[in-house]
Amino acid sequence: MNRTELIIATAIVLFIAFLMGWFAHWLVHRFVRVGQGEMNDLDTMAQQLHEAEEERDQAIAYYQHREAEMTTQSNQTEAELRAAMDGLREARQEAEELRAYIERMNAG
């Protein structure tokens, strides 16, 4: 086999490989092609997904706002409780002082 025959044989083999690759590509795209009905379904699913994400974001914002309100209300309730406990402590102390005063007056 001389040089010219080798070049021609190599060219033929490469051309056949190219044709087989092109045919395989054509087959794959023929079977994988997406139809119009499937595209409509994909568009519908994408729209539903977008709406679901918006609803999720709104729900998250609502719960964050609600959590902030509840935290504020809890802090206010705790402050009121501390004030009531302080007032009760002062009233008990004053009542104890009055009892002691009355006992001293009755004893003295």
Side-chain angles (χ1 to χ4, degrees):
M1 181 183 279
N2 62 18
R3 183 175 179 178
T4 306
E5 290 174 347
L6 179 64
I7 291 173
I8 292 173
T10 305
I12 291 172
V13 168
L14 288 175
F15 184 70
I16 290 172
F18 168 76
L19 286 178
M20 288 176 60
W22 178 81
F23 182 70
H25 177 267
W26 177 78
L27 272 178
V28 167
H29 282 284
R30 177 136 174 99
F31 291 120
V32 178
R33 186 180 308 161
V34 178
Q36 185 62 30
E38 292 174 344
M39 285 301 293
N40 290 338
D41 290 343
L42 288 174
D43 289 340
T44 303
M45 287 192 304
Q47 182 65 28
Q48 290 173 347
L49 176 63
H50 180 68
E51 291 170 359
E53 287 175 344
E54 285 180 355
E55 289 177 11
R56 183 203 63 204
D57 292 342
Q58 290 174 356
I60 289 172
Y62 171 76
Y63 285 120
Q64 287 175 343
H65 176 70
R66 189 72 178 132
E67 181 181 12
E69 287 178 353
M70 296 299 283
T71 302
T72 301
Q73 184 178 5
S74 174
N75 290 339
Q76 289 175 349
T77 304
E78 287 176 3
E80 290 173 2
L81 177 62
R82 274 194 300 278
M85 293 299 287
D86 290 343
L88 181 60
R89 187 177 306 112
E90 290 173 6
R92 285 180 179 166
Q93 185 178 9
E94 186 177 336
E96 189 63 35
E97 289 173 1
L98 287 174
R99 279 192 198 117
Y101 175 75
I102 291 172
E103 287 177 4
R104 279 193 312 249
M105 293 306 263
N106 286 340

